[in-house]
Amino acid sequence: MEMKQIYVLAALLLSFVGRISSLSITVNDVECVYEYVFYEGDAISGNFVVVDHDIFWGSDHPGIDFTVSSPGGNVVHNIKGTSGDKFELKAPRSGMYKFCFHNPYSTPETVSFYIHVGHIPNEHDVAKDEHLDPINVKIAELREALESVTAEQKYLRARDNRHRHTNESTRKRVIGYTVGEYLLLAAVSSLQVLYIRRLFSKSVAYNRV
Amino acid sequence: MAPRLISRAAVAVLLLLSMASSLLPAARGIWLSIPSTGTKCVSEEIHSNVIVLADYYVINEDKPEHVPKVSSRVTSPYGNNLHHLENVTHGQFAFTTSEAGNYLACFWLDEHQEHVSNVSLGLEWKTGIAAKDWDSVAKKEKIEGVELDLKRLEASVESIHQNLIYLKEREAEMREVSEQTNGKVAWFSIMALSVCIAVAAFQLWYLKRYFLKKKLI
Protein backbone atom coordinates (compact mmCIF):
# COMPACT_ATOMS: atom_id res chain seq x y z
CA MET A 1 0.00 0.00 0.00
CA GLU A 2 2.84 2.33 0.89
CA MET A 3 4.70 1.67 -2.35
CA LYS A 4 1.51 1.97 -4.34
CA GLN A 5 0.83 5.35 -2.83
CA ILE A 6 4.34 6.44 -3.60
CA TYR A 7 3.94 5.17 -7.11
CA VAL A 8 0.68 7.04 -7.51
CA LEU A 9 2.31 10.22 -6.31
CA ALA A 10 5.17 9.66 -8.71
CA ALA A 11 2.70 9.12 -11.55
CA LEU A 12 0.94 12.32 -10.57
CA LEU A 13 4.23 14.08 -10.58
CA LEU A 14 5.45 12.69 -13.86
CA SER A 15 2.30 13.25 -15.81
CA PHE A 16 1.35 16.75 -14.78
CA VAL A 17 4.02 18.57 -16.64
CA GLY A 18 4.30 21.63 -18.79
CA ARG A 19 1.36 23.71 -17.77
CA ILE A 20 2.06 27.17 -19.07
CA SER A 21 -0.36 29.58 -20.62
CA SER A 22 0.05 31.14 -23.99
CA LEU A 23 2.41 34.04 -23.57
CA SER A 24 3.18 36.84 -25.98
CA ILE A 25 6.60 38.19 -26.61
CA THR A 26 7.75 41.07 -28.80
CA VAL A 27 10.28 39.98 -31.38
CA ASN A 28 12.63 42.69 -32.57
CA ASP A 29 15.24 40.54 -34.23
CA VAL A 30 15.65 37.16 -32.57
CA GLU A 31 13.90 36.07 -29.43
CA CYS A 32 14.45 32.68 -27.89
CA VAL A 33 12.51 30.75 -25.31
CA TYR A 34 13.90 27.66 -23.64
CA GLU A 35 12.12 24.71 -22.18
CA TYR A 36 13.50 21.72 -20.43
CA VAL A 37 12.48 18.27 -21.62
CA PHE A 38 12.92 15.67 -18.93
CA TYR A 39 12.50 12.43 -20.82
CA GLU A 40 13.66 11.31 -24.19
CA GLY A 41 10.73 10.58 -26.46
CA ASP A 42 8.44 13.21 -24.96
CA ALA A 43 6.05 14.85 -27.37
CA ILE A 44 6.74 18.56 -27.74
CA SER A 45 3.77 20.33 -29.25
CA GLY A 46 2.80 23.91 -29.57
CA ASN A 47 1.69 26.74 -31.75
CA PHE A 48 2.45 30.38 -32.33
CA VAL A 49 0.67 33.26 -34.01
CA VAL A 50 2.06 36.62 -35.03
CA VAL A 51 -0.37 39.18 -33.67
CA ASP A 52 1.04 42.50 -34.88
CA HIS A 53 0.96 42.90 -38.59
CA ASP A 54 0.76 46.55 -39.50
CA ILE A 55 2.33 46.91 -42.90
CA PHE A 56 0.53 49.55 -44.87
CA TRP A 57 2.39 49.76 -48.12
CA GLY A 58 4.13 47.19 -50.18
CA SER A 59 3.58 43.50 -50.18
CA ASP A 60 2.58 41.43 -47.24
CA HIS A 61 5.06 40.86 -44.43
CA PRO A 62 7.24 37.84 -45.19
CA GLY A 63 6.37 36.39 -41.82
CA ILE A 64 8.69 35.27 -39.12
CA ASP A 65 10.91 32.20 -38.96
CA PHE A 66 10.65 29.67 -36.21
CA THR A 67 13.34 27.15 -35.28
CA VAL A 68 13.57 24.51 -32.61
CA SER A 69 17.09 23.50 -31.56
CA SER A 70 17.91 20.43 -29.56
CA PRO A 71 20.29 20.58 -26.61
CA GLY A 72 23.05 19.34 -28.89
CA GLY A 73 22.70 22.45 -31.04
CA ASN A 74 21.21 21.02 -34.20
CA VAL A 75 17.97 22.33 -35.58
CA VAL A 76 15.16 19.86 -35.06
CA HIS A 77 12.32 21.82 -36.61
CA ASN A 78 12.26 24.78 -38.93
CA ILE A 79 9.39 26.88 -40.27
CA LYS A 80 10.14 29.84 -42.49
CA GLY A 81 8.10 32.91 -43.26
CA THR A 82 4.74 32.22 -41.64
CA SER A 83 2.32 34.30 -39.68
CA GLY A 84 1.46 31.46 -37.36
CA ASP A 85 1.56 27.70 -37.29
CA LYS A 86 1.31 24.60 -35.14
CA PHE A 87 4.17 22.21 -34.58
CA GLU A 88 4.60 18.81 -33.12
CA LEU A 89 7.77 16.84 -32.64
CA LYS A 90 9.20 14.02 -30.64
CA ALA A 91 12.17 14.90 -28.49
CA PRO A 92 15.16 12.83 -29.61
CA ARG A 93 16.85 13.35 -26.27
CA SER A 94 16.26 15.05 -22.97
CA GLY A 95 17.68 18.43 -22.19
CA MET A 96 17.07 22.11 -22.76
CA TYR A 97 15.39 22.85 -26.05
CA LYS A 98 15.55 26.27 -27.65
CA PHE A 99 12.57 27.76 -29.51
CA CYS A 100 13.59 30.82 -31.51
CA PHE A 101 11.62 33.38 -33.47
CA HIS A 102 13.43 35.45 -36.05
CA ASN A 103 11.97 38.64 -37.49
CA PRO A 104 13.55 39.60 -40.82
CA TYR A 105 12.09 43.11 -40.80
CA SER A 106 12.98 45.90 -38.48
CA THR A 107 9.44 46.54 -37.26
CA PRO A 108 8.84 44.70 -33.99
CA GLU A 109 6.24 41.97 -34.11
CA THR A 110 4.35 40.47 -31.21
CA VAL A 111 4.21 36.69 -31.23
CA SER A 112 1.84 34.73 -29.03
CA PHE A 113 3.10 31.20 -28.45
CA TYR A 114 2.29 28.09 -26.48
CA ILE A 115 4.65 25.18 -25.89
CA HIS A 116 3.71 21.96 -24.19
CA VAL A 117 5.87 18.98 -23.36
CA GLY A 118 3.81 15.90 -22.69
CA HIS A 119 4.96 12.70 -21.10
CA ILE A 120 3.17 9.38 -20.86
CA PRO A 121 4.56 7.18 -18.11
CA ASN A 122 5.99 3.98 -19.45
CA GLU A 123 8.03 1.04 -18.29
CA HIS A 124 11.24 3.01 -17.94
CA ASP A 125 9.86 5.40 -15.35
CA VAL A 126 9.04 2.96 -12.62
CA ALA A 127 11.36 1.05 -10.39
CA LYS A 128 12.29 -2.44 -11.42
CA ASP A 129 10.18 -4.24 -8.86
CA GLU A 130 7.05 -2.17 -9.47
CA HIS A 131 4.76 -2.62 -12.42
CA LEU A 132 2.95 0.06 -14.32
CA ASP A 133 -0.69 0.49 -13.49
CA PRO A 134 -2.49 0.65 -16.86
CA ILE A 135 -5.10 3.03 -15.54
CA ASN A 136 -2.46 5.63 -14.85
CA VAL A 137 -1.16 5.26 -18.39
CA LYS A 138 -4.67 5.69 -19.72
CA ILE A 139 -5.24 8.73 -17.56
CA ALA A 140 -2.00 10.22 -18.83
CA GLU A 141 -3.06 9.58 -22.42
CA LEU A 142 -6.42 11.17 -21.73
CA ARG A 143 -4.72 14.16 -20.25
CA GLU A 144 -2.49 14.53 -23.27
CA ALA A 145 -5.53 14.38 -25.55
CA LEU A 146 -7.28 17.08 -23.54
CA GLU A 147 -4.07 19.07 -23.57
CA SER A 148 -4.02 18.95 -27.35
CA VAL A 149 -7.59 20.25 -27.47
CA THR A 150 -6.63 23.05 -25.10
CA ALA A 151 -3.59 23.85 -27.24
CA GLU A 152 -5.77 24.02 -30.34
CA GLN A 153 -8.10 26.37 -28.51
CA LYS A 154 -5.22 28.62 -27.51
CA TYR A 155 -4.17 28.70 -31.15
CA LEU A 156 -7.67 29.61 -32.23
CA ARG A 157 -7.82 32.34 -29.62
CA ALA A 158 -4.55 33.82 -30.76
CA ARG A 159 -5.71 33.70 -34.40
CA ASP A 160 -9.01 35.27 -33.43
CA ASN A 161 -7.05 38.05 -31.73
CA ARG A 162 -5.08 38.65 -34.87
CA HIS A 163 -8.17 38.75 -37.04
CA ARG A 164 -9.67 41.20 -34.63
CA HIS A 165 -6.63 43.46 -35.00
CA THR A 166 -6.91 43.24 -38.78
CA ASN A 167 -10.63 44.00 -38.68
CA GLU A 168 -10.20 46.98 -36.41
CA SER A 169 -7.42 48.32 -38.54
CA THR A 170 -9.52 47.89 -41.70
CA ARG A 171 -12.45 49.64 -40.09
CA LYS A 172 -10.36 52.60 -38.97
CA ARG A 173 -8.67 52.86 -42.32
CA VAL A 174 -11.95 52.77 -44.25
CA ILE A 175 -13.30 55.69 -42.28
CA GLY A 176 -10.05 57.62 -42.34
CA TYR A 177 -9.41 57.18 -46.03
CA THR A 178 -12.94 58.08 -47.12
CA VAL A 179 -13.04 61.24 -45.05
CA GLY A 180 -9.63 62.14 -46.39
CA GLU A 181 -10.86 61.43 -49.89
CA TYR A 182 -13.81 63.79 -49.50
CA LEU A 183 -11.67 66.57 -48.13
CA LEU A 184 -9.15 66.10 -50.89
CA LEU A 185 -11.88 66.23 -53.52
CA ALA A 186 -13.29 69.44 -52.08
CA ALA A 187 -9.82 70.98 -51.85
CA VAL A 188 -8.91 70.06 -55.42
CA SER A 189 -12.12 71.44 -56.84
CA SER A 190 -11.79 74.72 -54.97
CA LEU A 191 -8.21 74.97 -56.21
CA GLN A 192 -9.50 74.45 -59.74
CA VAL A 193 -12.03 77.21 -59.29
CA LEU A 194 -9.47 79.59 -57.87
CA TYR A 195 -7.09 78.85 -60.73
CA ILE A 196 -9.73 79.54 -63.34
CA ARG A 197 -10.60 82.77 -61.59
CA ARG A 198 -6.98 83.77 -61.70
CA LEU A 199 -6.79 83.00 -65.40
CA PHE A 200 -9.60 85.39 -66.06
CA SER A 201 -8.54 88.11 -63.67
CA LYS A 202 -7.88 91.54 -65.13
CA SER A 203 -4.22 91.83 -64.21
CA VAL A 204 -3.35 88.68 -66.05
CA ALA A 205 -5.62 89.33 -68.95
CA TYR A 206 -4.14 92.71 -69.73
CA ASN A 207 -0.67 91.31 -69.81
CA ARG A 208 -1.53 88.74 -72.38
CA VAL A 209 -0.12 89.36 -75.74
CA MET B 1 28.26 24.17 -22.66
CA ALA B 2 28.22 21.24 -20.26
CA PRO B 3 28.33 23.32 -17.04
CA ARG B 4 25.55 25.52 -18.43
CA LEU B 5 23.34 22.54 -19.10
CA ILE B 6 24.19 20.99 -15.78
CA SER B 7 23.37 24.15 -13.85
CA ARG B 8 20.09 24.60 -15.68
CA ALA B 9 19.23 20.97 -15.27
CA ALA B 10 20.17 21.11 -11.61
CA VAL B 11 17.90 24.05 -10.94
CA ALA B 12 15.08 22.47 -12.90
CA VAL B 13 15.43 19.15 -11.11
CA LEU B 14 15.70 20.87 -7.73
CA LEU B 15 12.56 22.79 -8.42
CA LEU B 16 10.80 19.67 -9.59
CA LEU B 17 11.78 17.81 -6.46
CA SER B 18 10.70 20.68 -4.27
CA MET B 19 7.42 20.72 -6.12
CA ALA B 20 7.15 16.99 -5.65
CA SER B 21 7.68 17.19 -1.96
CA SER B 22 4.98 19.80 -1.55
CA LEU B 23 2.61 18.03 -3.95
CA LEU B 24 2.06 21.06 -6.14
CA PRO B 25 1.36 20.37 -9.81
CA ALA B 26 4.74 19.80 -11.37
CA ALA B 27 4.92 22.98 -13.37
CA ARG B 28 7.94 23.61 -15.47
CA GLY B 29 7.96 26.94 -17.04
CA ILE B 30 9.85 28.51 -19.84
CA TRP B 31 13.27 30.06 -19.65
CA LEU B 32 14.05 33.48 -21.01
CA SER B 33 17.40 35.13 -21.39
CA ILE B 34 17.58 38.58 -19.90
CA PRO B 35 19.65 41.04 -21.92
CA SER B 36 22.35 43.00 -20.11
CA THR B 37 20.62 46.27 -20.95
CA GLY B 38 16.94 46.76 -21.51
CA THR B 39 14.01 44.77 -20.34
CA LYS B 40 12.50 41.49 -21.35
CA CYS B 41 8.73 41.52 -21.31
CA VAL B 42 6.12 38.85 -21.72
CA SER B 43 2.43 39.54 -21.94
CA GLU B 44 -0.82 37.69 -22.11
CA GLU B 45 -4.40 38.60 -22.91
CA ILE B 46 -6.45 37.51 -19.96
CA HIS B 47 -10.08 38.14 -19.29
CA SER B 48 -11.41 39.30 -15.98
CA ASN B 49 -11.82 37.22 -12.84
CA VAL B 50 -8.98 34.85 -13.61
CA ILE B 51 -6.35 33.81 -11.07
CA VAL B 52 -2.78 34.31 -12.19
CA LEU B 53 0.13 32.69 -10.38
CA ALA B 54 3.71 33.19 -11.38
CA ASP B 55 7.08 32.23 -10.02
CA TYR B 56 10.45 33.29 -11.35
CA TYR B 57 14.08 32.63 -10.51
CA VAL B 58 17.35 33.74 -12.01
CA ILE B 59 20.53 31.90 -12.81
CA ASN B 60 23.76 33.01 -14.36
CA GLU B 61 24.82 30.68 -17.14
CA ASP B 62 28.49 31.51 -17.09
CA LYS B 63 29.06 31.71 -13.36
CA PRO B 64 26.49 29.62 -11.54
CA GLU B 65 27.72 30.61 -8.13
CA HIS B 66 27.25 34.33 -8.69
CA VAL B 67 23.51 34.85 -8.94
CA PRO B 68 22.50 38.18 -10.44
CA LYS B 69 19.55 40.14 -9.18
CA VAL B 70 16.62 41.18 -11.28
CA SER B 71 13.73 43.50 -10.85
CA SER B 72 10.28 42.84 -12.09
CA ARG B 73 7.12 44.72 -12.71
CA VAL B 74 3.66 43.52 -13.64
CA THR B 75 1.18 45.98 -15.10
CA SER B 76 -2.51 45.64 -15.76
CA PRO B 77 -4.03 46.74 -19.09
CA TYR B 78 -5.11 50.05 -17.57
CA GLY B 79 -1.62 50.79 -16.35
CA ASN B 80 -1.96 49.84 -12.70
CA ASN B 81 1.12 48.42 -11.12
CA LEU B 82 0.20 44.99 -9.81
CA HIS B 83 3.59 43.87 -8.60
CA HIS B 84 6.94 45.55 -8.35
CA LEU B 85 9.96 43.95 -6.81
CA GLU B 86 13.57 45.08 -7.01
CA ASN B 87 16.82 43.26 -6.51
CA VAL B 88 15.78 39.68 -6.03
CA THR B 89 16.94 36.33 -7.29
CA HIS B 90 13.62 34.62 -6.78
CA GLY B 91 10.16 36.05 -6.61
CA GLN B 92 6.55 35.24 -7.12
CA PHE B 93 3.33 37.05 -7.60
CA ALA B 94 -0.32 36.18 -7.62
CA PHE B 95 -3.34 38.26 -8.46
CA THR B 96 -6.89 37.97 -9.70
CA THR B 97 -7.57 39.96 -12.81
CA SER B 98 -10.19 42.63 -12.44
CA GLU B 99 -10.26 43.83 -16.03
CA ALA B 100 -9.87 42.04 -19.32
CA GLY B 101 -6.89 42.93 -21.42
CA ASN B 102 -3.20 42.61 -21.93
CA TYR B 103 -1.18 41.95 -18.79
CA LEU B 104 2.51 42.67 -19.06
CA ALA B 105 5.34 41.32 -16.92
CA CYS B 106 8.77 42.87 -17.42
CA PHE B 107 12.13 41.85 -16.04
CA TRP B 108 15.38 43.73 -16.09
CA LEU B 109 18.82 43.41 -14.56
CA ASP B 110 19.80 45.79 -11.82
CA GLU B 111 22.29 48.43 -12.78
CA HIS B 112 24.31 48.36 -9.59
CA GLN B 113 26.09 45.13 -10.14
CA GLU B 114 28.97 43.94 -12.21
CA HIS B 115 28.29 43.35 -15.84
CA VAL B 116 26.85 39.93 -16.41
CA SER B 117 26.31 38.59 -19.86
CA ASN B 118 24.39 35.36 -19.79
CA VAL B 119 21.46 35.57 -17.43
CA SER B 120 18.54 33.22 -17.66
CA LEU B 121 15.23 33.65 -15.97
CA GLY B 122 12.92 30.72 -15.38
CA LEU B 123 9.31 31.76 -15.36
CA GLU B 124 6.30 29.69 -14.41
CA TRP B 125 3.16 31.45 -15.40
CA LYS B 126 -0.14 29.78 -14.66
CA THR B 127 -3.56 31.21 -15.26
CA GLY B 128 -7.06 30.00 -14.62
CA ILE B 129 -7.46 26.28 -14.28
CA ALA B 130 -3.73 25.57 -14.11
CA ALA B 131 -3.43 27.86 -11.10
CA LYS B 132 -5.91 25.92 -9.04
CA ASP B 133 -4.54 24.52 -5.83
CA TRP B 134 -5.29 20.82 -6.15
CA ASP B 135 -3.49 20.05 -2.96
CA SER B 136 -6.09 21.82 -0.86
CA VAL B 137 -8.93 20.33 -2.91
CA ALA B 138 -7.53 16.85 -2.29
CA LYS B 139 -7.28 17.54 1.44
CA LYS B 140 -10.68 19.13 1.70
CA GLU B 141 -12.59 16.44 -0.16
CA LYS B 142 -10.31 13.63 0.99
CA ILE B 143 -9.70 12.21 -2.46
CA GLU B 144 -6.44 11.07 -3.88
CA GLY B 145 -4.83 9.15 -6.66
CA VAL B 146 -6.99 8.20 -9.60
CA GLU B 147 -10.01 10.07 -8.29
CA LEU B 148 -8.00 13.27 -8.00
CA ASP B 149 -6.64 12.77 -11.49
CA LEU B 150 -10.10 12.34 -12.89
CA LYS B 151 -11.33 15.40 -11.05
CA ARG B 152 -8.55 17.41 -12.62
CA LEU B 153 -9.50 16.09 -16.03
CA GLU B 154 -13.08 17.06 -15.39
CA ALA B 155 -12.02 20.61 -14.53
CA SER B 156 -9.93 20.64 -17.69
CA VAL B 157 -12.93 19.64 -19.79
CA GLU B 158 -14.99 22.34 -18.14
CA SER B 159 -12.38 24.95 -19.03
CA ILE B 160 -12.35 23.66 -22.62
CA HIS B 161 -16.10 24.16 -22.72
CA GLN B 162 -15.78 27.69 -21.38
CA ASN B 163 -13.14 28.46 -23.94
CA LEU B 164 -15.36 27.24 -26.75
CA ILE B 165 -18.18 29.48 -25.61
CA TYR B 166 -15.78 32.41 -25.43
CA LEU B 167 -14.47 31.72 -28.93
CA LYS B 168 -18.00 31.53 -30.28
CA GLU B 169 -18.86 34.90 -28.75
CA ARG B 170 -15.72 36.51 -30.09
CA GLU B 171 -16.37 35.12 -33.54
CA ALA B 172 -19.90 36.52 -33.49
CA GLU B 173 -18.57 39.94 -32.46
CA MET B 174 -16.02 39.91 -35.20
CA ARG B 175 -18.57 38.92 -37.78
CA GLU B 176 -20.64 41.93 -36.68
CA VAL B 177 -17.70 44.25 -37.15
CA SER B 178 -16.88 42.74 -40.54
CA GLU B 179 -20.46 43.09 -41.75
CA GLN B 180 -20.58 46.67 -40.55
CA THR B 181 -17.33 47.51 -42.30
CA ASN B 182 -18.67 45.88 -45.45
CA GLY B 183 -21.78 48.01 -45.27
CA LYS B 184 -19.75 51.11 -44.55
CA VAL B 185 -17.50 50.57 -47.55
CA ALA B 186 -20.48 50.33 -49.91
CA TRP B 187 -22.14 53.37 -48.38
CA PHE B 188 -18.96 55.45 -48.44
CA SER B 189 -18.32 54.64 -52.10
CA ILE B 190 -21.77 55.84 -53.09
CA MET B 191 -21.24 58.92 -50.96
CA ALA B 192 -17.92 59.55 -52.69
CA LEU B 193 -19.65 59.47 -56.05
CA SER B 194 -22.33 61.88 -54.89
CA VAL B 195 -19.72 64.18 -53.33
CA CYS B 196 -17.92 64.17 -56.66
CA ILE B 197 -21.08 65.07 -58.55
CA ALA B 198 -22.01 67.73 -55.99
CA VAL B 199 -18.61 69.33 -56.16
CA ALA B 200 -18.66 69.34 -59.97
CA ALA B 201 -22.10 70.93 -59.94
CA PHE B 202 -20.91 73.55 -57.48
CA GLN B 203 -17.92 74.33 -59.71
CA LEU B 204 -20.13 74.77 -62.75
CA TRP B 205 -22.58 76.98 -60.88
CA TYR B 206 -19.86 79.15 -59.40
CA LEU B 207 -17.93 79.61 -62.62
CA LYS B 208 -21.09 80.45 -64.54
CA ARG B 209 -21.95 83.05 -61.92
CA TYR B 210 -18.43 84.42 -62.04
CA PHE B 211 -18.30 84.72 -65.79
CA LEU B 212 -21.72 86.33 -65.85
CA LYS B 213 -20.53 88.81 -63.27
CA LYS B 214 -17.43 89.57 -65.25
CA LYS B 215 -19.55 89.92 -68.36
CA LEU B 216 -17.43 87.42 -70.23
CA ILE B 217 -20.38 85.34 -71.42
Side-chain angles (χ1 to χ4, degrees):
Chain A
M1 195 55 204
E2 197 55 46
M3 278 310 286
K4 188 155 191 257
Q5 272 186 346
I6 291 175
Y7 172 69
V8 161
L9 290 180
L12 256 179
L13 176 68
L14 292 171
S15 9
F16 288 106
V17 289
R19 283 189 174 271
I20 51 167
S21 304
S22 54
L23 292 172
S24 309
I25 196 166
T26 309
V27 180
N28 283 307
D29 184 24
V30 174
E31 291 286 342
C32 290
V33 172
Y34 305 82
E35 178 133 5
Y36 197 82
V37 175
F38 285 97
Y39 300 92
E40 172 194 330
D42 278 354
I44 306 176
S45 61
N47 52 61
F48 65 97
V49 172
V50 182
V51 175
D52 254 3
H53 245 217
D54 283 336
I55 304 276
F56 291 128
W57 320 113
S59 58
D60 209 8
H61 193 274
I64 60 161
D65 309 327
F66 174 70
T67 45
V68 182
S69 316
S70 75
N74 38 324
V75 173
V76 181
H77 193 72
N78 195 358
I79 307 177
K80 278 205 176 300
T82 78
S83 59
D85 207 350
K86 299 191 283 188
F87 63 92
E88 211 174 295
L89 52 115
K90 210 166 148 83
R93 47 178 275 202
S94 63
M96 187 72 83
Y97 280 76
K98 189 160 88 156
F99 303 84
C100 284
F101 302 99
H102 170 243
N103 183 10
Y105 272 9
S106 51
T107 51
E109 300 280 338
T110 308
V111 178
S112 162
F113 63 92
Y114 174 70
I115 301 167
H116 169 73
V117 179
H119 174 75
I120 311 243
N122 54 26
E123 294 296 326
H124 301 291
D125 297 336
V126 294
K128 291 284 181 283
D129 47 356
E130 284 288 319
H131 60 88
L132 197 64
D133 194 356
I135 198 169
N136 282 319
V137 176
K138 277 295 169 204
I139 288 180
E141 281 174 14
L142 196 60
R143 178 174 320 107
E144 288 305 308
L146 284 181
E147 205 46 66
S148 74
V149 176
T150 312
E152 182 79 30
Q153 282 192 328
K154 288 195 204 285
Y155 181 54
L156 288 175
R157 257 170 94 142
R159 286 249 292 234
D160 169 272
N161 233 3
R162 189 192 137 108
H163 290 162
R164 190 165 253 261
H165 270 242
T166 310
N167 265 1
E168 288 287 318
S169 154
T170 306
R171 193 180 60 90
K172 284 192 203 130
R173 280 202 267 167
V174 157
I175 295 178
Y177 289 176
T178 35
V179 167
E181 188 186 337
Y182 296 165
L183 291 174
L184 199 65
L185 209 57
V188 163
S189 56
S190 48
L191 278 176
Q192 276 183 327
V193 165
L194 284 174
Y195 184 68
I196 291 175
R197 270 180 67 139
R198 208 178 82 91
L199 281 178
F200 284 97
S201 73
K202 286 207 166 54
S203 56
V204 176
Y206 283 148
N207 291 337
R208 268 188 199 282
V209 179
Chain B
M1 184 69 177
R4 184 190 303 182
L5 274 179
I6 288 173
S7 67
R8 265 212 178 123
V11 175
V13 167
L14 267 175
L15 190 73
L16 197 61
L17 286 176
S18 67
M19 292 290 189
S21 57
S22 55
L23 269 193
L24 286 173
R28 298 172 319 197
I30 57 170
W31 291 82
L32 307 164
S33 62
I34 309 282
S36 20
T37 52
T39 67
K40 189 71 147 246
C41 292
V42 288
S43 58
E44 189 180 349
E45 283 244 7
I46 316 178
H47 32 123
S48 58
N49 249 1
V50 169
I51 304 174
V52 177
L53 286 179
D55 200 321
Y56 61 93
Y57 40 92
V58 209
I59 65 167
N60 189 343
E61 296 282 340
D62 297 328
K63 290 182 278 192
E65 62 282 350
H66 170 249
V67 185
K69 294 198 169 26
V70 287
S71 310
S72 69
R73 166 175 296 187
V74 182
T75 40
S76 80
Y78 294 151
N80 303 335
N81 208 348
L82 289 168
H83 166 90
H84 181 57
L85 208 57
E86 303 256 356
N87 264 351
V88 283
T89 55
H90 165 87
Q92 56 205 59
F93 49 88
F95 55 92
T96 309
T97 57
S98 49
E99 55 249 3
N102 210 24
Y103 285 79
L104 185 72
C106 287
F107 305 93
W108 64 96
L109 280 176
D110 277 325
E111 306 95 28
H112 313 299
Q113 55 187 334
E114 53 183 79
H115 179 72
V116 282
S117 54
N118 212 347
V119 181
S120 296
L121 179 127
L123 175 70
E124 282 148 32
W125 175 276
K126 292 180 275 182
T127 54
I129 187 70
K132 192 159 174 188
D133 188 6
W134 289 104
D135 192 24
S136 63
V137 170
K139 277 204 192 91
K140 194 173 68 154
E141 305 192 12
K142 295 189 182 39
I143 53 178
E144 60 172 25
V146 171
E147 203 176 335
L148 184 64
D149 277 355
L150 289 176
K151 224 174 172 56
R152 287 179 76 143
L153 290 179
E154 191 185 354
S156 193
V157 168
E158 186 57 44
S159 86
I160 287 176
H161 187 187
Q162 294 300 324
N163 264 335
L164 270 179
I165 292 173
Y166 173 74
L167 279 175
K168 215 164 74 154
E169 277 170 16
R170 291 274 288 208
E171 193 264 336
E173 264 177 47
M174 221 167 35
R175 201 163 51 83
E176 272 296 317
V177 172
S178 288
E179 300 270 332
Q180 273 180 13
T181 308
N182 194 17
K184 275 195 191 131
V185 164
W187 173 234
F188 283 170
S189 309
I190 294 176
M191 276 257 295
L193 189 64
S194 52
V195 163
C196 205
I197 292 174
V199 156
F202 167 75
Q203 274 188 325
L204 283 173
W205 168 82
Y206 183 80
L207 284 174
K208 188 157 184 196
R209 203 183 72 131
Y210 180 72
F211 289 155
L212 278 172
K213 203 167 72 163
K214 296 282 182 189
K215 298 196 177 24
L216 289 166
I217 53 172

